[in-house]
Structures are given as structure tokens and as C-alpha cells.
Amino acid sequence: MPTKYIIVTGGVLSGLGKGIAAASIGHLLSSKLKIIPIKCDGYLNVDPGTMNPFEHGEVFVLDDGGEVDMDFGHYERFLGVTCKSKWNLTMGKVFDMVRKKERRGDYLGKTVQYIPHVTDVIKNHIFDVSREEQADLVIVEIGGTVGDIENELFLESVRQLRNDVGSQDILYVHLTYVPIPYGVNEQKSKPTQQSVNLLMQRGIFPDVIIGRCSQFLTKEIKAKISSFCNVQPSAVITGLDVEDIYEIPIIFEEEGLPEIIHKKLNIYSPPDLRKWKRLVDNIRNPKREITIAMCGKYTKLEDSYASIIESLNHCSAHLSCKIVLKWIETTDLKDTSFLDEVDGVIIPGGFGSRGTEGKIEVIREARKRNVPFLGLCLGLQLAVIEFARNVCNLEGANSTEMAPDTPHPVIDILPEQKEISDKGGTMRLGGYTAVLKEGSLVHSLYGEREVSERHRHRYEVNPAYHSIMEAGGMVFSGASRDGRLVEFIELPHLKFFVATQAHPELKSRMENPAPLFYGFIKACLN
Ligand code: GLN
């Protein structure tokens, strides 16, 4: 069978959930097909690793160390694949490749132009990935909305793709917005018509239109979109606003999307959503409720912590409990009385000194009051600092990231990071193995002695302080194979006080919640 392609574009507004739509389509087809997602982003950064989470949401990290768009989180969670950094194509990467080719002399004698040279690089990249992965189906998501200048070259490339692969092997999906204006109380198709029009001006004729709406699309609106946009009424699909993104594949199935794709692409891969539905049902009808404090400095934009939120959703699905998040901005934290009202505390990853003293204070109180605590990356580093200061009496202990002149650098830069001056893609990134301590809580949660989690950091627990911390009662329950790098810590006499240098939230799946999160939520429930 030749490789099939589904191209997902968006219109009207950004933020309608193209990534989730693409991932959900993939989920519905994944029972028999090897599906590879590719995301094209129009910005000129080589990857999102150097962007502020406020600008771009969470930076997702892959096993291979790639720092990629957060949509890869959705792809991995919905498709069950382990993605590769090559599958995220940014305009920054594209121009980098074109420039290298030009300097090498690949275009000798020619004027290097957007078409065909840049578009060829884009298409060849897509074909390379498809060939290397022996994909049955490649889902290409084009970031942004049609009409954005920065996406024109990607749109032109996927337009050309139709001629390269043949129209029987490619399907175009366009996600738009169907508003119901206040007072009019009627679903409106005009934004969709205009957006499809823009797409058609670029030579792309969608086979499927997904209309994001707060209600199911009516028969009438489907008929109208169908006649104005040249698609079958059955190919106009509701992209319903939902509380919980895991409902989207279920809604797409109800709306008949798999049949349309099967018919057009001549593939058959019947979705089996039984288990998925059961888990979603647990999220929808929880038996219990707990409140977790999330203490960070990007708390104004939930996208900055997308994978943590999803990991908690996975726990909800398995433990049938609603998890209410209480966002605590730690920059000017005045008091920690909020701890009276929560069942547990998460200190997520972060960079720089803003908000760290507030977080250290929260950790101290959580430790003293025996409130379950989960620390992630920076969360581990701050837990070590707190313990050093308040239990081991190392006055002024700190990380050299926040206080380069601290008398007790209990957290210090990794030796291999000292000489690095470039900021892009140079942290300790990706999957690394940790060996867990026999009989520790972390060991019992993972059920294995060796585990691999993903990382994104420059600092570590300073080996010069290991023995002082251990003498004070902190257990280093996991370390790198050579024993130098502390990967997990715990305080065994407390209900749940665990932190890791890694980001276990990046590997959590609906069917398989991250063990640390699962253990943490269970402890909060008790
Ligand atoms: N800023 C810390 C470091 O670089 C923690 C990073 C993180 O939390 N991802 O080590």
C-alpha cells in the first residue's frame, strides 16, 4: 500500500485545537496503521526551545532530545508513538537546510527561489520521514491559520504534494470556527466560507471541514457549508467544545469521520474506542474530588504546563477522581495558608530566580505539615535547597543559577555545561536512564530498577553535598548509572515527598499514567 497523507490546516482563528484534531484523527485510524505525525511551524526559530513559555506554551521534549512544539505531546498521547525531532519542521530549520545546500553548491548556477527550492526542501523532508519510518499514513499539521504570511510556503508545499502522491492518496482537512453570536443564537457559516475561500485561492480544496463550535453543527449549517465549500454534507464534522480533550476522538467517530477517511483514502482501520471511552467516562463522572496546588511563575498561561495537566487527567481517568487545580503564583507569595485547602502540592520545572524563594517556602511548609509533595526538575532542586537550609543548617544554601555567590552551592551547573555558550538545544535533553534504590518509594511506584525519563536542565545536585544531605535524612532514590547525578529524591518518613530531576509528565499516557503522578495522586486521596 502506498503511503497515505492527511494534511490538516486551520482557519479563522488560532488556538482552535488543530493539534488535538490531528491527533484525534490519528487515534481513530491507529488500530492497524503505522501513523507518523509531522508538524510544520512557520516561525524562524530552529525549534521552540529558546522561546518563553508565555509566548509559545510548553516546550515538549522527546526521547531523542528534540525540543519541539507542544502538539507533539498530543500526538504521543493520542497515537502512542514515540516521536522524533525530525518530525517537527520549522521555517527556521527549512532556511537552515536551504542555506547549507546553497553554500555546498547544490544549486550551482541557479537562482535559489522559494518555489521550487524551498518547497522542494519541505516536501523532501516529508518524504524522507515517511520513507525512514515506513509510515502507512503521515499526518501533516500546518501551524497557524491560512492567510498568515509565515505559513504560505508550507501551504504551497502541501498543495504540490497532491500531484506528487496522487489525489487518491491525500486528504485535506480544514479546521475552522462556527460562532453562535450572542443575540443571534444561530450557527454562522460565513467565517468558514471565507477561510475555505482563502485556502482555495492557494489551490487547496478541502475534503473534510471540521467546524469548531459550542454545539453540534445542525443539518442546516452542514448543508450550507457543504454547498459553499464544495464538500459532501457528511464531510462537515463538528469539532465540539469539550471540557476534556480526550472526548474529541469519540465525537469525531460519532460524526462519521472514520468512514469518510476510509472511503477517500481506501484504507480500513476500524477504531476500537471501548477502553478509551471507559477512561473518559471516569473523568466525566468522578467519584471523588481533590485539590492540588500548582506553584509556578507561568501560572497565567495553562499551556505552559500542558503535560502536567494531562498527566493529572490520566490519573483522574484511572482513579476516577476530579483534580481541581489551584494555581499559585509564587513571584510575590505572601503566605502559605492556601496549604490548608489543598490535598497536595506540585512544584513544576522552571528557569531563573523569579518566584524561587516563594516556592522554597511552600516546600518547607508542605514538608513540615506532611502535605503530599511532587517536585519536577526545578522542583527537585528547590526541595534540596530547602532541606539544605532548614534541616542540614547550611545557611544561604542555593543554586548557582539563582545565586552565583552562594556559600553553599547545593545545586550547581553540570560540569559538561560549563563551557557551553550557545543557548539553543544545548541543555541536558531527552531520555536518560536512572537506577532506582532497592526498596525506595520510587522503586515501588515504577516497579522496575531502571527507568528512563526525559530531561531538560543545566543544573544538578552538587556531588560535594551528597553525603551531607543523606546524613540529614534525604534519600537519593535514583541516580544516573555512574551514580553522579541525582535523579530522584524522597523523604521516607512523610506521606509522599518525592521529586525528580526529570520531567515524567512528558511520558504519561491515558492508558498508562506516569508512575510518580499516579503515586502522588493516590497519596493525596488518602
Ligand atoms: N533551571 C533548572 C536547570 O536548568 C531547572 C530546569 C527545569 O526545571 N526544566 O537545571
Side-chain angles (χ1 to χ4, degrees):
M1 185 180 91
T3 303
K4 311 281 177 170
Y5 293 84
I6 293 181
I7 312 296
V8 182
T9 57
V12 187
L13 294 177
S14 61
L16 290 179
K18 251 189 301 69
I20 292 164
S24 299
I25 292 170
H27 185 81
L28 289 173
L29 303 171
S30 61
S31 69
K32 289 188 183 152
L33 303 175
K34 177 160 186 200
I35 303 179
I36 301 299
I38 295 179
K39 169 95 196 269
C40 299
D41 283 305
Y43 49 75
L44 295 177
N45 304 62
V46 169
D47 62 44
T50 52
M51 289 187 222
N52 185 324
F54 275 132
E55 294 257 329
H56 189 262
E58 170 184 77
V59 176
F60 197 77
V61 181
L62 302 174
D63 265 351
D64 69 8
E67 296 175 286
V68 293
D69 185 82
M70 61 184 279
D71 277 334
F72 279 88
H74 301 308
Y75 302 152
E76 288 203 339
R77 291 186 282 264
F78 280 70
L79 292 172
V81 285
T82 300
C83 296
K84 297 184 183 161
S85 57
K86 192 170 176 184
W87 306 354
N88 193 184
L89 191 55
T90 64
M91 214 30 100
K93 273 189 199 168
V94 172
F95 285 158
D96 219 25
M97 289 189 262
V98 174
R99 222 188 60 90
K100 282 200 184 98
K101 280 166 76 71
E102 189 275 333
R103 290 291 86 182
R104 210 165 50 212
D106 289 9
Y107 305 117
L108 226 47
K110 293 247 168 21
T111 307
V112 183
Q113 294 181 303
Y114 287 131
I115 304 170
H117 302 108
V118 177
T119 48
D120 276 355
V121 162
I122 295 170
K123 289 193 298 175
N124 287 335
H125 192 88
I126 294 174
F127 290 136
D128 274 355
V129 170
S130 153
R131 206 175 318 112
E132 282 163 20
E133 303 301 333
Q134 300 185 343
D136 297 317
L137 171 67
V138 177
I139 299 182
V140 184
E141 180 196 341
I142 310 294
T145 42
V146 55
D148 298 346
I149 285 184
E150 49 181 29
N151 291 312
E152 296 291 1
L153 290 166
F154 284 128
L155 288 175
E156 168 60 14
S157 306
V158 295
R159 178 194 71 79
Q160 294 176 17
L161 223 53
R162 183 162 176 269
N163 277 341
D164 297 325
V165 304
S167 67
Q168 71 288 346
D169 290 332
I170 191 163
L171 177 124
Y172 295 90
V173 177
H174 190 56
L175 175 69
T176 72
Y177 182 51
V178 178
I180 305 174
Y182 179 75
V184 180
N185 296 337
E186 192 190 332
Q187 298 176 357
K188 289 299 200 182
S189 68
K190 190 70 79 196
T192 299
Q193 292 176 40
Q194 290 175 337
S195 167
V196 171
N197 221 324
L198 285 177
L199 202 59
M200 287 177 172
Q201 283 168 21
R202 285 157 183 77
I204 297 174
F205 302 91
D207 301 285
V208 173
I209 293 172
I210 301 176
R212 171 83 187 258
C213 188
S214 57
Q215 301 169 351
F216 275 98
L217 299 183
T218 60
K219 238 174 140 172
E220 292 72 34
I221 197 96
K222 285 188 176 185
K224 198 163 175 191
I225 292 174
S226 154
S227 71
F228 277 101
C229 303
N230 270 326
V231 294
Q232 293 294 317
S234 59
V236 182
I237 303 289
T238 309
L240 193 68
D241 293 351
V242 286
E243 281 291 308
D244 163 28
I245 54 172
Y246 299 96
E247 294 178 37
I248 295 291
I250 300 171
I251 289 164
F252 283 179
E253 190 202 29
E254 281 170 14
E255 290 274 292
L257 185 56
E259 288 83 53
I260 293 167
I261 296 173
H262 291 159
K263 236 193 274 164
K264 165 83 209 282
L265 293 180
N266 194 22
I267 47 175
Y268 189 61
S269 184
D272 179 1
L273 293 179
R274 278 171 302 181
K275 186 170 177 204
W276 190 267
K277 280 182 181 162
R278 248 194 333 270
L279 292 168
V280 170
D281 210 50
N282 283 346
I283 300 179
R284 262 196 233 147
N285 306 303
K287 296 198 177 63
R288 305 166 273 190
E289 181 176 314
I290 55 169
T291 304
I292 303 294
M294 262 284 256
C295 305
K297 69 170 176 183
Y298 306 119
T299 50
K300 290 202 181 62
L301 183 71
E302 291 192 11
D303 267 3
S304 314
Y305 299 114
S307 292
I308 297 179
I309 295 174
E310 293 316 324
S311 304
L312 294 172
N313 275 331
H314 303 156
C315 294
S316 290
H318 285 262
L319 294 165
S320 191
C321 74
K322 179 172 175 177
I323 301 174
V324 179
L325 282 180
K326 197 175 170 74
W327 296 92
I328 305 292
E329 172 61 52
T330 47
T331 309
D332 296 307
L333 192 72
K334 293 282 178 294
D335 72 295
T336 52
S337 57
F338 69 87
L339 283 171
D340 296 337
E341 290 143 39
V342 301
D343 302 287
V345 176
I346 295 178
I347 307 279
F351 295 83
S353 60
R354 182 163 69 80
T356 50
E357 286 304 320
K359 290 177 200 169
I360 291 171
E361 193 49 30
V362 172
I363 297 170
R364 187 171 82 114
E365 282 303 310
R367 179 176 58 79
K368 283 168 108 183
R369 299 196 206 178
N370 202 1
V371 178
F373 161 76
L374 177 62
L376 306 167
C377 202
L378 180 68
L380 172 139
Q381 298 174 356
L382 298 179
V384 168
I385 293 169
E386 189 280 317
F387 197 79
R389 286 183 190 173
N390 302 318
V391 178
C392 304
N393 298 316
L394 300 173
E395 207 179 309
N398 214 327
S399 162
T400 49
E401 181 181 7
M402 336 296 172
D405 301 324
T406 168
H408 295 293
V410 289
I411 305 294
D412 198 9
I413 193 147
L414 289 154
E416 59 271 32
Q417 286 281 329
K418 281 196 179 129
E419 305 302 319
I420 296 174
S421 59
D422 277 6
K423 291 283 180 250
T426 55
M427 282 186 245
R428 180 173 181 253
L429 289 166
Y432 285 95
T433 301
V435 182
L436 305 183
K437 193 179 211 125
E438 189 81 54
S440 63
L441 174 59
V442 171
H443 177 212
S444 77
L445 292 174
Y446 278 96
E448 279 169 310
R449 278 302 300 283
E450 294 212 344
V451 298
S452 171
E453 294 286 9
R454 297 178 185 172
H455 295 71
R456 184 172 189 253
H457 66 122
R458 287 199 170 88
Y459 292 80
E460 63 165 339
V461 181
N462 187 343
Y465 287 87
H466 284 188
S467 54
I468 303 178
M469 307 294 297
E470 284 178 307
M474 180 167 272
V475 171
F476 294 153
S477 43
S480 56
R481 279 217 182 90
D482 62 8
R484 196 203 78 200
L485 239 160
V486 174
E487 292 280 10
F488 295 90
I489 62 163
E490 58 190 73
L491 294 179
H493 59 285
L494 297 180
K495 220 159 43 176
F496 189 102
F497 192 103
V498 175
T500 172
Q501 188 58 73
H503 289 279
E505 67 273 21
L506 299 174
K507 281 174 65 174
S508 186
R509 300 280 194 274
M510 182 73 150
E511 294 91 341
N512 214 354
L516 282 199
F517 280 84
Y518 188 80
F520 168 66
I521 295 300
K522 264 185 105 166
C524 296
L525 281 165
N526 290 331

